[in-house]
Amino acid sequence: MSETQQGMFGARGTGDTSGYGGLVATAAATGSTERPFGGYFDQVADDLERAYPDFADAITRVVVDRGELTLHIKKDRLVEVARILRDKLLFEMCMGVSGVHYPERTGSELVAVYPLLSMTKNQRIRLEVATSDSDRHIPSVVDVWGGNNWHERETFDMFGIIFDGHPGLTRILMPDDWDGHPQRKDYPLGGIAVEYKGATTPAPSERRSYQ
Amino acid sequence: MTTTFDPYASSRETTEGTVYSVTGGDWDELVSEIGEAKEERIIVNMGPQHPSTHGVLRLVLELEGETITEVRPGIGYLHTGIEKNMEYRSWTQGTTFATRMDYLSPVFNETAYCLAIEKLLGITEDVPERASVIRVLMMELNRISSHMVALGTGALELGAMGPMFFAFREREMVLDAFEAITGLRMNMAYVRPGGVQQDLPAGMTTRLRELVKTLRKNFKDNEKLLIGNTIWMKRTVGIGYLDLAGCTTLGITGPVLRSTGLPWDLRKMSPYCGYENYEFDVITADTCDVYGRFLIRMAELEQSLRIIEQALDKLDALNGAPVMVADKKIAWPAQLALGADGLGNSLDHIREIMGSSMESLIHHFKLVTEGFRVPAGQVYAAVESPRGELAAHVVSDGGTRPYRVHFREPSFNNLQSTSAMSEGGMIADIIGAVASIDPVMGGVDR
């Protein structure tokens, strides 16, 4: 996919069309949040530290932002942590996985985000696992939360993240023979020629003189 | 594709033996062609164009006689790239995309998305009370119209035509109310970041009170038709069984989860839009089957009417209160008052920005062309849609457009349970099982 072509939609760069913006986008905080985290988050962190001796080694960052707790986990420890969260901390539901592609974060371009729910305790936390674009593998958690089966297929389909150990990682929304992974930032909106029964219709971006 | 493959050939050789494709034609001809073959295994492609698959769901069924041995759902036929498109539009414009996902519950889609944006902006507390009450009112009206389709089409698919007529009669009344309030029957993009797009028209609460009265009376028609009906119970009781352990493993929420007896409803468990201020019951059943889910949906209609009545009382008390946050930077892109000709901005507004305030003109231009900025970060906001937990995972990089929006669609997740509900059962029962999940393919595929 070409990186310069953006199709018909969306300004390049900042989206500031008039030059009057002046405001600089604030980057998301990159450090860990210091204790106390507030609410039940301290309890969750304490419980996890007690139940999982390798906590400090496996969990790289603990972030509390806008009232939500995110645990950043090394990818090779994900399944271990997931199992303990499910069995010991009673996060019996995983609400799926969402991918995010940050092309500018060298070495951790692809991120998988898992929202967890404990119905027993009515608590929610989030796991985040990053991997580099050159090594797109993240272990699958389908053995722990079976309902993540389709969600992981969708994230594979959209971002090209390969979930190792998934029982049948195939495309789910796009056609089986599709090229590329549409939700990645280097994949254009539009810009794809339409093929239907032998007839080819040029991509929307090719049909207009303005781009 | 090899050149020798002919998709319309009646049979072809594979490593597993001869495969016969049946796409219409004479059944006797096929039987004579198969001859004495002992193989009983039949693979049936149910859908994607099958009237009982709720749109374009494809179910690949492996059958032994009439017993299903394996189900593989195939989805993606309605994938429209809504999440990708939203990355190229401003935060406010995103509502017009989100509303089109699950086309039976547009208000829920919009609300989940807007709650996420408000959380990112840190203005959850600033959303005016009247806006929240209107959101609740619209969501509960929408729950009724959505359940009406679930009940009506579900009954039709199992062979009962009458309930469909009643259900769609009620649904039309709700859609008429939507049209009066928002201008559109579906996909209305009415809920906007910071509040709602416009206030209720004059006299709407009176009209809605009449509607509640009519609906309460009309719901009895379907109750009389179906509850306890012998034929209906034979098609639904004990069908599509999925217990609590199965629901938890598969991440199932909504009526399917509540049919296992667990009163899990986000309106009670983690209230949003002020749901903690309404009195209503969470309906459960303990049968884990299609009939239980049907009873839950029937009873939830009455609970929605109760919430609507309380919301109408609140609205009467809040008459004239704002329906959008006071911060004009957020409110403005959503408030393009139309001129007398139905186009563009109101002339009064244009007179002000063109004639008396250069700053206003610049701000107006910036906000309308670019939209507002949202501080960087990520949030997850969930609502209880008619089908279960509908959530938006929204990531901002600090810009005027979403960096990434992902919807945790209950239809998408719950459809996974088709296999667990149907394998080992009869082919006729998969129809009831799928209908009880109530998947909406627009939401599944987004």
Side-chain angles (χ1 to χ4, degrees):
Chain A
M1 294 304 152
S2 116
E3 288 195 24
T4 49
Q5 194 200 1
Q6 291 277 316
M8 288 196 294
F9 307 118
R12 277 152 241 211
T14 63
D16 177 4
T17 44
S18 63
Y20 187 74
L23 295 168
V24 180
T26 46
T30 48
S32 265
T33 310
E34 296 297 317
R35 278 175 185 263
F37 302 137
Y40 55 80
F41 297 152
D42 292 287
Q43 189 65 40
V44 170
D46 289 345
D47 289 348
L48 186 56
E49 273 180 51
R50 219 169 297 128
Y52 185 57
D54 290 344
F55 182 92
D57 186 41
I59 290 165
T60 52
R61 284 165 61 202
V62 180
V63 178
V64 176
D65 182 33
R66 295 172 170 92
E68 295 181 6
L69 174 73
T70 310
L71 302 174
H72 294 250
I73 298 174
K74 283 186 189 162
K75 68 176 187 180
D76 44 344
R77 301 297 190 91
L78 173 66
V79 180
E80 267 170 56
V81 177
R83 229 172 256 289
I84 286 174
L85 283 170
R86 185 194 68 178
D87 297 341
K88 300 274 165 49
L89 276 77
L90 304 178
F91 283 94
E92 55 296 81
M93 289 258 235
C94 181
M95 306 319 279
V97 54
S98 161
V100 192
H101 184 209
Y102 299 99
E104 73 287 355
R105 291 191 189 169
T106 315
S108 53
E109 289 96 342
L110 290 167
V111 172
V113 182
Y114 303 81
L116 303 187
L117 165 67
S118 166
M119 290 194 294
T120 315
K121 299 193 280 185
N122 197 12
Q123 294 177 346
R124 283 176 192 272
I125 63 170
R126 176 163 51 219
L127 307 183
E128 209 175 299
V129 181
T131 190
S132 77
D133 206 8
S134 49
D135 170 35
R136 299 181 181 178
H137 293 265
I138 288 178
S140 166
V141 296
V142 171
D143 280 348
V144 186
W145 292 293
N148 255 37
N149 187 323
W150 282 18
H151 295 277
E152 287 185 359
R153 281 176 65 191
E154 185 190 343
T155 307
F156 161 71
D157 196 353
M158 293 295 151
F159 290 89
I161 298 176
I162 297 159
F163 292 93
D164 295 326
H166 189 286
L169 194 68
T170 53
R171 287 190 183 270
I172 188 165
L173 295 179
M174 303 302 285
D176 290 341
D177 56 353
W178 195 259
D179 283 331
H181 300 280
Q183 285 279 358
R184 292 169 53 88
K185 290 289 174 187
D186 50 15
Y187 191 100
L189 181 72
I192 306 294
V194 181
E195 275 186 48
Y196 183 69
K197 289 208 169 171
T200 305
T201 309
S205 52
E206 303 286 317
R207 286 180 234 156
R208 314 275 171 159
S209 53
Y210 59 88
Q211 277 184 34
Chain B
M1 194 185 290
T2 56
T3 49
T4 53
F5 176 69
D6 175 5
Y8 299 104
S10 62
S11 70
R12 67 194 152 92
E13 298 300 322
T14 68
T15 50
E16 292 193 50
T18 314
V19 170
Y20 298 90
S21 301
V22 186
T23 54
D26 192 346
W27 186 257
D28 291 334
E29 228 167 72
L30 180 83
V31 172
S32 66
E33 194 180 338
I34 294 174
E36 294 300 306
K38 291 282 179 281
E39 186 84 65
E40 283 278 317
R41 195 174 64 149
I42 302 178
I43 313 271
V44 173
N45 261 309
M46 196 174 122
Q49 270 92 22
H50 188 284
S52 72
T53 52
H54 284 248
V56 279
L57 168 65
R58 176 183 173 201
L59 295 166
V60 185
L61 309 177
E62 195 178 308
L63 306 172
E64 293 273 354
E66 279 195 62
T67 307
I68 298 172
T69 52
E70 197 185 333
V71 182
R72 271 174 292 145
I75 61 169
Y77 297 96
L78 223 50
H79 178 60
T80 45
I82 281 176
E83 291 174 3
K84 179 83 173 175
N85 269 292
M86 288 169 85
E87 292 170 16
Y88 290 80
R89 302 296 171 129
S90 75
W91 291 93
T92 308
Q93 287 170 328
T95 52
T96 50
F97 283 91
T99 191
R100 281 164 171 74
M101 297 187 312
D102 177 345
Y103 41 78
L104 292 187
S105 59
V107 184
F108 294 91
N109 301 337
E110 298 160 21
T111 309
Y113 174 65
C114 291
L115 287 175
I117 297 173
E118 284 155 13
K119 212 167 175 186
L120 272 171
L121 285 163
I123 58 164
T124 309
E125 300 299 316
D126 302 333
V127 175
E129 195 188 345
R130 188 171 168 86
S132 288
V133 177
I134 293 178
R135 284 178 182 182
V136 168
L137 171 81
M138 294 293 281
M139 279 194 279
E140 294 308 323
L141 282 170
N142 200 172
R143 194 182 309 277
I144 291 173
S145 70
S146 173
H147 277 359
M148 283 290 116
V149 176
L151 293 166
T153 60
L156 185 69
E157 287 157 12
L158 292 180
M161 193 167 268
M164 172 89 172
F165 295 144
F166 289 134
F168 272 64
R169 177 188 65 187
E170 270 75 278
R171 176 179 152 79
E172 282 304 308
M173 293 181 205
V174 176
L175 295 190
D176 285 346
F178 281 164
E179 189 175 8
I181 294 169
T182 70
L184 292 168
R185 287 152 50 86
M186 297 168 77
N187 305 335
M188 52 281 263
Y190 179 65
V191 180
R192 302 282 173 91
V196 295
Q197 184 248 343
Q198 59 184 2
D199 205 346
L200 300 180
M204 201 61 213
T205 50
T206 320
R207 185 178 156 180
L208 287 174
R209 280 205 171 83
E210 287 299 312
L211 176 67
V212 168
K213 227 182 277 174
T214 318
L215 288 177
R216 184 166 280 145
K217 182 166 69 66
N218 284 0
F219 288 157
K220 296 215 171 62
D221 292 334
N222 262 343
E223 286 171 19
K224 275 186 227 156
L225 262 182
L226 290 176
I227 294 179
N229 178 320
T230 319
I231 305 170
W232 179 248
M233 294 193 46
K234 280 194 171 155
R235 292 301 309 273
T236 55
V237 172
I239 305 299
Y241 187 90
L242 191 68
D243 61 8
L244 180 58
C247 284
T248 317
T249 312
L250 291 171
I252 310 289
T253 46
V256 181
L257 176 63
R258 288 194 284 276
S259 74
T260 68
L262 185 75
W264 182 265
D265 188 322
L266 294 181
R267 293 176 292 175
K268 286 277 190 212
M269 302 313 293
S270 47
Y272 48 91
C273 294
Y275 265 113
E276 63 273 24
N277 304 322
Y278 297 83
E279 271 183 37
F280 64 99
D281 300 326
V282 178
I283 309 294
T284 59
D286 55 3
T287 51
C288 309
D289 63 1
V290 177
Y291 190 62
R293 290 163 210 148
F294 154 75
L295 288 181
I296 288 174
R297 292 204 175 91
M298 286 300 256
E300 279 185 355
L301 298 172
E302 170 57 25
Q303 299 307 318
S304 290
L305 289 181
R306 278 177 72 190
I307 298 173
I308 291 168
E309 284 174 329
Q310 294 168 53
L312 290 172
D313 289 343
K314 284 179 206 287
L315 285 174
D316 281 341
L318 287 165
N319 216 352
V323 293
M324 184 53 96
V325 285
D327 187 347
K328 283 288 174 203
K329 296 237 176 209
I330 292 161
W332 226 335
Q335 278 186 349
L336 289 168
L338 292 181
D341 56 355
L343 296 169
N345 268 320
S346 74
L347 291 176
D348 287 342
H349 182 59
I350 292 174
R351 199 169 293 124
E352 193 218 320
I353 58 175
M354 298 300 281
S356 58
S357 172
M358 183 67 173
E359 290 296 310
S360 297
L361 176 66
I362 293 170
H363 272 90
H364 179 95
F365 178 75
K366 291 287 291 175
L367 288 172
V368 172
T369 54
E370 272 181 38
F372 50 84
R373 288 171 193 278
V374 171
Q378 63 175 334
V379 295
Y380 180 87
V383 300
E384 183 75 28
S385 92
R387 278 158 273 284
E389 173 167 332
L390 169 70
H393 173 239
V394 179
V395 184
S396 171
D397 64 345
T400 56
R401 293 187 295 263
Y403 189 76
R404 161 85 169 130
V405 186
H406 174 69
F407 285 93
R408 191 266 178 204
E409 255 288 335
S411 300
F412 176 81
N413 189 92
N414 295 0
L415 202 52
Q416 292 184 90
S417 64
T418 313
S419 319
M421 284 184 188
S422 311
E423 283 176 5
M426 305 295 280
I427 185 169
D429 292 339
I430 195 173
I431 311 281
V434 170
S436 77
I437 299 171
D438 186 23
V440 175
M441 299 314 290
V444 174
D445 297 338
R446 278 154 290 138

